[in-house]
Amino acid sequence: MAGEVEQEDHPTEEIITKEKLGSKKLSWQNNLRRFDSFDIESRTISGSRHGFNVKKWSMILHLAFQSIGIVYGDIGTSPLYVYASTFSNGVKHEDDILGAFSIIFYTITLSTLVKYIFIVLRATDNGDGGTFALYSLICRYAKVGMTPSEQAEDNNISNFQLELPSKRLKRATWVKSRLEKSNFAKYFLLLFTMLGTSMLIGDGIFTPCISVLSAVGGIKEATPAMTQDRIVWISAVILIGVFMVQRFGTDKVGYTFSPILILWFALIGGIGLYNFIKFDPIVIKALNPKYIAEYFIRNKKEAWISLCGTVLSITGAEALFADVGHFTVRSIQISTCTITYPAIILAYAGQSAFLRKHPDLVSSAFYKSIPGPLYWPMFVVAVLAAIIASQSLISGTFSIVQQSLSLGCFPRVKIVHTSTNYKGQVYIPEINYLLMVACVAVTLGFRSSVQIGNAYGLAVVFVMMITSCLLVLIMVMIWKTHILLIILYIVTIGAMELVYLSSVLYKFDQGGYLPLVFAAVLMAIMLVWNNVYRRKYNYEFDHKISPAKVNDIVNNMTLLRMPGIALFYSDLVHGIPPIFKHYVGNVPALHSVLVFVSSKSLPISKVPLEERFLFRRVEPKELNVFRCVARYGYRDSHKESEPFEKMLVEKLKEFIKTDLLLSRCDIRVPVAEIDQEELSNDRLVNGGDQIEDENVEHAKEEIKQLQDEVLEREIERVDKAWNYGVVHLIGESEVFAGPGARLGKRILIDYVYNFLERNLRQSVQGFDIPHRRMVKVGMTYEL
């Protein structure tokens, strides 16, 4: 590449002036520049999308098949309990069935199909979904992030060029500006995102409980002797089994579950079509929304309360977005439109037709509407489908916890990547066990799918409303959607969700309080961790060591320089962490090559491996001191196919080569600055303002030879240090509230945060660091 540059940019017949040399230096640097993921994701250049950019239809169909076993269990099993929850006091008028079916039909169509499949899935962050994906997308387009990676000191890392709003769309610019200037808006947006994340985790608790209880409860229809206590305990055992198989990963679980779910959808769709034709095809009239109005006029408050039941028809819709990182947008759209949506609508249509003739059987409508010969096969498949229903939100919970962890909003937990083909498929042991305990506790405590449904409905509606609010911000700032379309979304889908929220809040004291309790606990943990995380970063930044101080420390005559490479790990991106001075003060010896490494999570989902490391040299060059930022997206694994230290050293050598190659462009004139012993005396022409072509060519060749020698020596020095070995120096900072701190701050830092810190995983476990070459350096921070 360098040869091509020199051949192109070295003219043979013109005089090179200072200005021309300056412009050619810029040209060389532009040619040497490697566009990275920031440019691609911001659409400033054309480029391929990293991660899931699957274009072969065979792979898309393969993922669509696999997604059925992971994503749709929850929403697919909702026909088990929706009508029983909607008419908990019985059906009072035969046309109430038409009204309820009409509500269910338009709720599923508007929320699941229109909102999630055709709108929300467009808002994926480089292929990943969930509440934090929406938040990170907003943070990249407006400086509203509350994590250290969004601070001004990190501009050279985090602030990449984005497609700014068009001047013609002043609305987008105004909203963006207001958000960036308001600290309240920034905190509110972060809290709002944490609330949505906490509620989605709550979904992961309630989904298994209500699905398994409802399915197992069907055995009462065949064996009246089966008591509710036995049903509850059987359900608890099944739930434990569901969580125990999670460690095998989404890939294997999806392959196992998908055929069962396809059979389930075929059965409920076929039975629904059979009942629709046999009992009352006239329920097709429910497509007319006038039956919704008549239903509310006839039943008034009771109709409004019954919405707590109909909202359960879209439980699991959020999983379509939360789980998209495990698959692709196109695969989710195909499986929804071709299998899931038609089967569910037919199932509800069949139950509606059945209930028009047998309204007294509404409490067990699903099992009573099954033709006799199919009862036991359907019961077995229903139980299996209910087990699988748990999978959608469990997988979604793993995904959003990984996202929040990478953005500094969740305590450190172990992330296990369960698939070598799809990096989005993860398993988190700690979260899995906590979900299992919570699910068993809720099942044993509530014992009824109706009460669990009250709690479940509140969690579902809260998550959907939070998604809608963030989506509207994205429509305004990023997509720059026409204002009429935004208003249309708000007055249809937004209004529908607001009505549902008012209904589920009515049953707050009948179980609706539980998801808010769960959310409050999770939000408290996330807020404490994020708050102290930012305080620690700010402390390190305020006490960072200047380059001049590093120069003094390294050049200290009493300090021993020994062969080898030392990697100092820190969260600080911009500068040398204070723990370095603390280390040198206790161990007066340093390795020949020093690299200060900071791991940085960016508000994007993935950073390509070739762009993982960003290096800078600490001057002067003779120190052999470098700063390195290891950049990760919130979906990236910190454990790559090769050892971390090997990748870092290889990228360091590439940086040294590129750095010296760029310095070749820096031809200084007059040439009096060049070593006079190495160059001939006839360098200067016309008083040093211009240089003859042949002399410039000769000077550049000599400079190139000198720089090749320097490059060879530097690479040899790094290789020699690598052969001697690498030592990993880990900063173990202990934090305490500073003198004079208020009681609340002391409790926050000294007790709550330190309790979480002591009982969770250490930060170094995220890297592939050999323990036999790891040295921990302790230091106390007073925040």
Side-chain angles (χ1 to χ4, degrees), residues 268-501:
I268 64 172
I271 292 174
L273 181 61
Y274 170 79
N275 289 333
F276 171 77
I277 296 172
K278 177 182 178 181
F279 290 105
D280 192 3
I282 204 172
V283 295
I284 194 70
K285 294 192 303 182
L287 297 182
N288 188 341
K290 78 167 188 175
Y291 288 96
I292 299 178
E294 293 176 355
Y295 177 67
F296 276 93
I297 293 172
R298 189 166 49 248
N299 295 281
K300 299 180 176 62
K301 183 180 178 181
E302 290 299 319
W304 174 67
I305 295 174
S306 71
L307 293 178
C308 295
T310 59
V311 74
L312 298 180
S313 64
I314 51 173
T315 57
E318 184 69 25
L320 303 177
F321 185 49
D323 286 337
V324 69
H326 294 247
F327 308 100
T328 64
V329 171
R330 186 66 65 194
S331 63
I332 297 291
Q333 290 174 333
I334 290 174
S335 54
T336 299
C337 296
T338 59
I339 296 177
T340 309
Y341 178 76
I344 292 174
I345 295 300
L346 284 174
Y348 284 116
Q351 286 189 42
S352 302
F354 174 81
L355 289 175
R356 289 270 291 177
K357 302 299 182 182
H358 307 90
D360 55 314
L361 300 178
V362 69
S363 61
S364 52
F366 179 81
Y367 284 106
K368 291 294 187 181
S369 64
I370 298 174
L374 292 177
Y375 176 81
W376 283 110
M378 195 63 185
F379 171 76
V380 173
V381 177
V383 173
L384 293 175
I387 294 172
I388 298 167
S390 311
Q391 186 63 43
S392 59
L393 266 302
I394 293 174
S395 299
T397 299
F398 293 157
S399 296
I400 61 173
V401 168
Q402 182 197 17
Q403 295 171 15
S404 55
L405 169 67
S406 299
L407 294 176
C409 296
F410 203 87
R412 290 186 293 267
V413 290
K414 183 179 181 180
I415 305 291
V416 179
H417 289 258
T418 58
S419 173
T420 57
N421 297 321
Y422 314 119
K423 288 188 176 181
Q425 298 183 356
V426 296
Y427 164 68
I428 305 177
E430 294 93 334
I431 300 300
N432 186 63
Y433 293 134
L434 288 175
L435 286 177
M436 181 180 71
V437 171
C439 282
V440 172
V442 169
T443 303
L444 297 178
F446 279 81
R447 306 174 65 84
S448 166
S449 61
V450 175
Q451 277 194 306
I452 296 176
N454 295 336
Y456 194 16
L458 185 63
V460 169
V461 177
F462 255 109
V463 172
M464 288 186 171
M465 286 208 64
I466 289 171
T467 298
S468 286
C469 292
L470 296 176
L471 185 64
V472 168
L473 269 181
I474 290 173
M475 287 179 176
V476 173
M477 287 196 307
I478 302 174
W479 295 348
K480 308 174 190 69
T481 308
H482 195 285
I483 188 64
L484 293 180
L485 293 177
I486 297 175
I487 294 174
L488 179 63
Y489 179 89
I490 293 173
V491 299
T492 53
I493 296 174
M496 178 188 72
E497 292 174 348
L498 191 61
V499 172
Y500 270 125
L501 179 63

Side-chain angles (χ1 to χ4, degrees), residues 526-592:
M526 295 170 75
L527 283 172
V528 168
W529 189 267
N530 180 259
N531 183 275
V532 181
Y533 170 80
R534 288 187 285 111
R535 289 175 185 268
K536 284 177 61 179
Y537 186 92
N538 291 332
Y539 179 92
E540 288 193 338
F541 180 79
D542 293 338
H543 295 81
K544 67 180 180 180
I545 302 175
S546 66
K549 186 65 176 177
V550 173
N551 193 3
D552 293 341
I553 292 174
V554 175
N555 288 325
N556 191 337
M557 298 299 295
T558 63
L559 198 64
L560 174 66
R561 295 298 293 268
M562 51 189 176
I565 299 176
L567 303 181
F568 285 82
Y569 291 86
S570 166
D571 290 331
L572 188 65
V573 171
H574 196 273
I576 309 300
I579 205 164
F580 172 64
K581 183 179 179 181
H582 180 71
Y583 169 79
V584 175
N586 290 275
V587 183
L590 287 175
H591 292 74
S592 57

Side-chain angles (χ1 to χ4, degrees), residues 25 31 36 88 92 115 132 134 193 198 262 267 272 300 306 349 388 416 422 452 457 530 543 633 665 728 752 773:
K25 172 185 174 182
N31 288 335
D36 57 24
S88 55
K92 297 179 180 179
K115 177 184 173 180
F132 260 102
L134 295 176
T193 303
S198 302
I262 290 176
L267 286 173
K300 299 180 176 62
S306 71
I388 298 167
V416 179
Y422 314 119
I452 296 176
N530 180 259
H543 295 81
C665 307
H728 303 265
V752 181
R773 289 189 280 111

Side-chain angles (χ1 to χ4, degrees), residues 644-778:
F644 176 80
E645 62 182 30
K646 181 179 179 181
M647 290 193 300
L648 187 145
V649 172
E650 290 299 322
K651 294 298 180 182
L652 174 61
K653 290 192 289 186
E654 288 183 15
F655 165 75
I656 292 172
K657 294 177 182 177
T658 304
D659 188 44
L660 287 175
L661 187 59
L662 286 173
S663 67
R664 289 176 182 170
C665 307
D666 195 9
I667 307 298
R668 303 294 183 185
V669 286
V671 193
E673 299 178 10
I674 303 176
D675 190 348
Q676 299 300 315
E677 295 181 1
E678 298 291 337
L679 303 177
S680 57
N681 294 326
D682 55 347
R683 299 295 191 211
L684 303 181
V685 180
N686 296 330
D689 290 334
Q690 291 184 331
I691 305 176
E692 294 181 359
D693 258 358
E694 57 183 20
N695 292 336
V696 170
E697 294 294 335
H698 184 59
K700 287 183 178 180
E701 287 297 327
E702 293 186 3
I703 291 172
K704 181 184 176 183
Q705 288 180 353
L706 290 174
Q707 290 180 332
D708 285 342
E709 292 177 6
V710 173
L711 174 60
E712 186 176 348
R713 287 197 299 268
E714 287 214 31
I715 297 299
E716 183 180 352
R717 188 182 296 115
V718 174
D719 286 334
K720 184 178 179 181
W722 166 258
N723 292 331
Y724 271 99
V726 179
V727 175
H728 303 265
L729 298 165
I730 311 298
E732 285 291 309
S733 57
E734 192 172 4
V735 298
F736 292 99
R742 291 176 294 183
L743 179 62
K745 184 177 179 181
R746 289 187 178 278
I747 294 174
L748 175 74
I749 298 176
D750 296 350
Y751 296 100
V752 181
Y753 179 82
N754 282 326
F755 172 80
L756 295 173
E757 180 82 13
R758 286 191 298 268
N759 290 279
L760 292 170
R761 298 177 183 267
Q762 299 298 315
S763 59
V764 296
Q765 294 187 3
F767 294 101
D768 188 14
I769 298 177
H771 285 272
R772 59 187 177 85
R773 289 189 280 111
M774 181 170 60
V775 178
K776 292 187 177 181
V777 183

